[in-house]
């Protein structure tokens, strides 16, 4: 496609320039997205995220990526959140250093004590 620039008015040239700049920006964004997707895929194959490797926050994605399907795809592992330990609510009567927060699976010592007739309230801290 050849455009006769010499036969165009200044106004037409300015309009064409604006259209070219818009298309260049769209093309640039498309290339950046493709590069980011390729980088994320490469580091995900190694079990990392870009945020973990670069220390930068993960980019916010809106909507579905181009060409996506409804099929579930494996996602990159996100950085592990730091969990604070729970406050102990129960202590082993035989060994006070063994404690339980009351959440999650009951420890063996707790089950054994309850089976032996000890009430949970008597083991409460």
């Amino acid at each position: 496609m050849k455009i006769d620039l010499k036969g165009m008015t200044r106004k037409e040239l300015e309009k064409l320039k604006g259209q070219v700049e818009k298309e260049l920006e769209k093309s640039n964004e498309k290339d950046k997205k493709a590069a980011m997707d390729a980088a994320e895929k490469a580091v995900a194959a190694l079990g990392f995220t870009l945020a973990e490797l670069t220390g930068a926050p993960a980019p916010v994605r809106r909507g579905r990526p181009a060409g996506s399907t409804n099929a579930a795809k494996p996602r990159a592992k996100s950085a592990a959140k730091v969990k604070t330990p729970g406050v102990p609510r129960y202590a082993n009567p035989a060994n006070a250093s063994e404690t339980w927060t009351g959440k999650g699976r009951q420890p063996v010592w707790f089950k054994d004590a309850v089976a032996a007739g000890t009430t949970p309230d008597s083991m409460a801290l």
Side-chain angles (χ1 to χ4, degrees):
M1 173 169 110
K2 184 165 176 143
I3 300 174
D4 180 24
L5 298 177
K6 291 183 182 184
M8 296 176 78
T9 66
R10 179 179 181 87
K11 191 173 186 177
E12 292 171 332
L13 288 170
E14 291 289 334
K15 182 178 178 182
L16 180 62
K17 179 183 174 187
Q19 291 172 343
V20 168
E21 287 174 352
K22 283 181 187 177
E23 288 302 316
L24 281 173
E25 185 63 32
K26 285 181 186 178
S27 179
N28 190 28
E29 289 300 316
K30 183 179 169 185
D31 290 346
K32 281 182 185 180
K33 185 183 179 318
M36 182 66 77
D37 290 343
E40 286 175 346
K41 185 177 179 180
V43 297
L46 297 172
F48 296 101
T49 65
L50 284 177
E52 288 175 323
L53 297 179
T54 62
V60 175
R61 299 285 183 160
R62 300 193 191 281
R64 288 191 178 150
S68 69
T69 63
N70 289 339
K73 294 181 181 180
R75 295 183 180 241
K77 295 178 183 176
S78 62
K81 294 181 180 178
V82 177
K83 293 185 177 181
T84 57
V87 178
R89 290 181 45 201
Y90 302 99
N92 184 351
N95 181 359
S97 67
E98 292 179 330
T99 59
W100 179 48
T101 63
K103 295 182 181 180
R105 180 177 265 171
Q106 293 178 343
V108 174
W109 60 263
F110 187 86
K111 289 181 186 178
D112 291 344
V114 170
T118 307
T119 63
D121 291 336
S122 65
M123 294 183 281
L125 295 174

